[in-house]
Amino acid sequence: MVIELLTSHASVRKFKKTSLTTEQVHELINAGQHAASSHFVQAYSVIHVTDTTKRQTLAELSKNPQQILTAGAVLVFCTDYYRLETAAKLANQTIDYANAESLLVGSIDVALFAQNVAVAAESKGYGICYIGGVRNAPQEISDVLGLPIGVAPMFAMTIGIPDEANDVKPRLPIEAILHENNYDANKYDELLTTYDVTMNTYYTSRNTNRKNATWSSDMATFLSTPRRTHMKAFLQSRGFHFN
């Protein structure tokens, strides 16, 4: 049952205008908190955006108006070392999170936390969509949400009753992902050529946003130039200096 739920995931970008209650949001957050956490630092916080004006601003800054303005709940997931600084002060100590490892720990923690929330939401019949567009304007969004130094928004998630049904995208074959004992760099030409045919069939026949493309061509275009190059300076301004 759980595996069927996981393998049926498809992003939902249009929701019925029915808000989740505070109790429903708390239930999902509680499920998220039970994800694994490196050394139990729990280096994450989430902002539930209920204010209409803030939600409108978030929609504009992230360039995701449809998802954010129709969702039953909008959550912004943040890496958070401010709370850990406060905990250290209570113990009459200081912490140093201005290093690459701490950024990785916080990023991994918040991703695991959010994925638990996503699975919990889908188990309740809700649809979800991750919003990486939060990183389009991280400083402005930090200002809107009142985030202190030590806290950085990583992505948002919209949750709600689906008002659309999207097909599940075919994933890479397991053989392309799974290696036994040693990394096998010789199998990709054949596997990716076959996968490109699969994805082209999907892209040209799906319900919406049809296009004549392959996974390889899409990834080459997507990664051909650096994206969101402002993120390094922004993270440094939040206290993450990659030491």
Side-chain angles (χ1 to χ4, degrees):
M1 186 70 177
V2 175
I3 290 178
E4 290 177 4
L5 174 67
L6 292 171
T7 55
S8 65
H9 167 75
S11 295
V12 174
R13 294 179 173 84
K14 186 178 180 183
F15 304 92
K16 298 182 185 296
K17 289 189 176 181
T18 303
S19 297
L20 273 69
T21 66
T22 299
E23 291 74 17
Q24 288 168 327
V25 172
H26 283 192
E27 182 180 31
L28 300 180
I29 297 302
N30 181 56
Q33 287 184 266
H34 285 77
S37 170
S38 179
H39 207 71
F40 207 47
V41 295
Q42 303 173 84
Y44 48 72
S45 281
V46 59
I47 311 297
H48 181 199
V49 184
T50 59
D51 180 84
T52 302
T53 301
K54 287 181 182 290
R55 187 183 282 206
Q56 180 68 51
T57 303
L58 181 64
E60 294 170 358
L61 290 172
S62 68
K63 301 179 182 179
N64 283 271
Q66 179 173 267
Q67 295 95 307
I68 289 174
L69 298 180
T70 66
V74 177
L75 306 176
V76 178
F77 290 83
C78 307
T79 294
D80 185 353
Y81 276 89
Y82 179 84
R83 183 173 56 245
L84 289 156
E85 280 191 309
T86 303
K89 289 177 183 177
L90 293 175
N92 296 315
Q93 296 186 53
T94 59
I95 64 171
D96 178 9
Y97 63 88
N99 53 77
E101 174 64 7
S102 292
L103 178 59
L104 285 172
V105 166
S107 300
I108 293 167
D109 260 20
V110 73
L112 294 173
F113 167 58
Q115 187 60 13
N116 258 28
V117 172
V119 173
E122 291 181 332
S123 78
K124 294 286 187 178
Y126 297 118
I128 72 101
C129 187
Y130 281 96
I131 309 293
V134 163
R135 297 191 301 281
N136 289 335
Q139 184 57 62
E140 293 88 341
I141 288 173
S142 295
D143 293 340
V144 169
L145 301 180
L147 305 183
I149 299 300
V151 181
M154 296 286 104
F155 48 82
M157 183 190 297
T158 49
I159 305 172
I161 299 172
D163 197 26
E164 64 176 4
N166 292 324
D167 298 327
V168 176
K169 284 184 179 178
R171 266 48 177 184
L172 283 159
I174 291 174
E175 294 81 5
I177 301 298
L178 180 63
H179 304 260
E180 185 170 350
N181 295 322
N182 296 287
Y183 191 96
D184 182 1
N186 298 316
K187 58 184 177 180
Y188 290 136
D189 285 348
E190 179 180 353
L191 288 172
L192 294 184
T193 299
T194 302
Y195 183 57
D196 279 342
V197 173
T198 299
M199 287 304 298
N200 182 256
T201 300
Y202 165 78
Y203 284 139
T204 57
S205 62
R206 63 185 177 181
N207 295 333
T208 59
N209 193 28
R210 292 181 181 178
K211 60 181 179 179
N212 186 17
T214 65
W215 183 78
S216 293
S217 64
D218 267 5
M219 293 303 101
T221 300
F222 180 74
L223 297 170
S224 61
T225 56
R227 295 168 59 84
R228 296 173 180 146
T229 55
H230 56 266
M231 283 302 298
K232 180 178 180 180
F234 167 72
L235 289 169
Q236 288 175 329
S237 75
R238 296 273 106 187
F240 300 97
H241 299 291
F242 308 95
N243 295 339

